Amino acid sequence: MEKLQLFGMPAEKGRWLLIPLSITVLLCLGTVYSWSIFRKPLEKLLSVGATDSLLPFTVLLVVFAILMPITGFYINRFDTRLITGVGGLITAVGYILSSLGGNIPTLTITYGVIAGMGVGITYGVPLAVVAKWFPDKKGLAVGATVIGFGLSPLITAPLAKFLIDAVGVQQTFVILGIAFAAIITAISTVLTTPPPGWQPEGWTPPGSVQTNSHTTTSGSILQTSSFYGLWLCYTIGSFAGLAAIGISSPLAQEIIKLDAATAANTVSLFAIFNGAGRLFFGWFTDKFTPKLGAIVSFVLILIGSIMMLSAGKGSVLTYIVAFSLFYLALGGWLAIAPTSTLIMFQSQDYAKNYGIVFTAYGMGALGGTLLAGKIRDIFGSYTNFFYPTAGLAIVGIIVAVFMLKRTSANADLVR
């Protein structure tokens, strides 16, 4: 029998090329995390305030949070190459149309809704493809791939700043849209799953493990206190982290008095912590417990919030350390939440269960970014925003202690 080939090599070797290709797709999609670079130019161009300039970003995150789990339900029914290509083109169209937006409502539709749909459709496909090609190294392969989304601002933030300075914010949308269309559609042609039953040569799947009697079924996940504890904690983590992403560059310019170029460079630096958080908290949550992972993340948010309450002109180190903690915690929640879902509930129902849990990401995005903008417009500064993030971090610790644990009523936490 002829051995399966991938990229002209035996599949066991060729599959490794899928990881950098998938990372590249997620790097394109993760440009949304560089939104803070666009905000100041848009506020000046459209004569709007902080709340308005955050709205397209907020809507994109909510649409992304809705579409990602929906796509997960249908990913096995359609060709992964088709889904990736269509999602990539929709993302590109959203960016290109955003160049025509002469007001916030239009930009909210083009960038928030259309680009958000593209990101939501495409995001999960590279992860699913890589997971199927690496049944023997699933954690390593998927973990390496998902870093691409979080690390995107490391590349895209300075690129966006360069383009905005060179051709303006509207033409930057066009250039990025065309680039995304070319890159994602090209890569989509090879993002195919292995044939049913394929497994790496020399690898034997581990024997089936009897399901722990303490786990829950997808039908009862909404009836467990641990689900609501996890959902609330994920919402709080997303609330602080996504707001930090949306305000990092303008806050650096307004409060710390950094110039625009330096502020853009700090966003690139923070992207490293976003990626590192996914690796560290994925390992930490699996090694210890979801409760401890959540508590550590909220302690980081609390420390960062307290630091930012005293930050002012010239507090560069305070700003860098605090926002590094916010990005680290946000990256952490994009690992804590899926890992906790696997630990706390039936693994065979993971796609459906995590789709439900992931709605917390959208809720956190909506609340955090809108509140940050409102506080900036009302008080003239983002500083007061760190009072609610500090308070919510304390609430998160309490919720984690009392709700992310095994109870006699539902006994749904198995670790």
Side-chain angles (χ1 to χ4, degrees):
M1 183 177 179
E2 187 178 352
K3 293 180 63 176
L4 182 65
Q5 297 279 307
L6 195 62
F7 301 111
M9 296 178 281
E12 287 78 7
K13 293 184 177 180
R15 62 180 179 159
W16 287 96
L17 290 176
L18 289 171
I19 293 180
L21 290 172
S22 297
I23 288 174
T24 302
V25 172
L26 293 180
L27 280 171
C28 293
L29 301 179
T31 304
V32 301
Y33 280 173
S34 296
W35 179 250
S36 65
I37 306 301
F38 291 84
R39 288 186 56 213
K40 278 293 184 181
L42 284 172
E43 288 174 8
K44 183 177 180 180
L45 177 68
L46 304 179
S47 300
V48 297
T51 302
D52 287 339
S53 67
L54 272 170
L55 186 59
F57 175 67
T58 302
V59 171
L60 183 146
L61 293 176
V62 173
V63 173
F64 166 36
I66 294 172
L67 264 292
M68 195 281 284
I70 291 176
T71 303
F73 278 87
Y74 294 95
I75 199 168
N76 293 323
R77 298 188 184 184
F78 299 95
D79 191 304
T80 49
R81 293 170 292 187
L82 176 64
I83 297 175
T84 306
V86 170
L89 287 175
I90 293 175
T91 303
V93 168
Y95 269 81
I96 293 171
L97 291 179
S98 294
S99 68
L100 306 176
N103 53 67
I104 290 298
T106 301
L107 196 59
T108 300
I109 294 173
T110 56
Y111 184 84
V113 176
I114 299 176
M117 288 175 60
V119 174
I121 290 170
T122 313
Y123 177 81
V125 184
L127 303 179
V129 169
V130 166
K132 290 186 178 181
W133 278 107
F134 287 87
D136 54 332
K137 297 179 175 67
K138 185 176 295 186
L140 171 65
V142 173
T145 301
V146 76
I147 287 176
F149 198 78
L151 286 182
S152 177
L154 185 63
I155 298 172
T156 59
L159 174 61
K161 178 65 174 60
F162 170 79
L163 290 173
I164 290 171
D165 289 343
V167 299
V169 65
Q170 292 177 310
Q171 282 301 111
T172 297
F173 281 125
V174 175
I175 294 171
L176 291 176
I178 293 173
F180 295 161
I183 294 170
I184 297 177
T185 54
I187 294 176
S188 72
T189 61
V190 298
L191 286 186
T192 182
T193 54
W198 180 85
Q199 61 188 48
E201 187 175 349
W203 177 71
T204 303
S208 59
V209 181
Q210 186 174 357
T211 302
N212 190 301
S213 60
H214 291 314
T215 57
T216 65
T217 66
S218 59
S220 61
I221 182 175
L222 296 176
Q223 300 172 6
T224 66
S225 64
S226 287
F227 162 73
Y228 293 100
L230 177 60
W231 194 90
L232 286 171
C233 287
Y234 196 6
T235 299
I236 293 171
S238 299
F239 178 98
L242 293 173
I245 283 177
I247 69 177
S248 52
S249 180
L251 179 147
Q253 296 175 61
E254 294 177 13
I255 296 179
I256 313 301
K257 303 303 180 183
L258 297 179
D259 60 79
T262 304
N265 289 333
T266 63
V267 174
S268 298
L269 170 66
F270 299 146
I272 298 175
F273 287 89
N274 192 332
R278 298 166 195 241
L279 285 177
F280 171 75
F281 279 99
W283 166 82
F284 187 89
T285 303
D286 189 47
K287 179 72 173 177
F288 298 99
T289 63
K291 177 170 70 175
L292 284 178
I295 290 172
V296 171
S297 76
F298 291 133
V299 169
L300 296 180
I301 293 172
L302 181 59
I303 293 172
S305 299
I306 293 173
M307 292 178 70
M308 285 307 301
L309 286 172
S310 62
K313 181 180 179 180
S315 303
V316 179
L317 183 60
T318 298
Y319 162 71
I320 290 176
V321 172
F323 271 72
S324 294
L325 295 179
F326 290 137
Y327 275 69
L328 185 68
L330 174 65
W333 271 104
L334 289 165
I336 295 171
T339 303
S340 299
T341 303
L342 279 170
I343 292 174
M344 294 164 63
F345 310 109
Q346 291 277 21
S347 60
Q348 61 264 36
D349 295 324
Y350 168 73
K352 295 179 181 179
N353 288 342
Y354 187 56
I356 298 172
V357 171
F358 193 75
T359 58
Y361 178 93
M363 184 60 66
L366 184 65
T369 55
L370 288 180
L371 182 61
K374 281 293 183 184
I375 286 178
R376 167 63 180 80
D377 289 340
I378 293 172
F379 296 99
S381 171
Y382 289 106
T383 299
N384 287 332
F385 176 69
F386 299 102
Y387 285 109
T389 58
L392 285 171
I394 296 173
V395 172
I397 292 172
I398 295 172
V399 171
V401 168
F402 290 101
M403 298 183 72
L404 292 185
K405 67 177 184 176
R406 184 185 306 174
T407 66
S408 58
N410 57 25
D412 52 12
L413 183 58
V414 300
R415 292 189 60 167

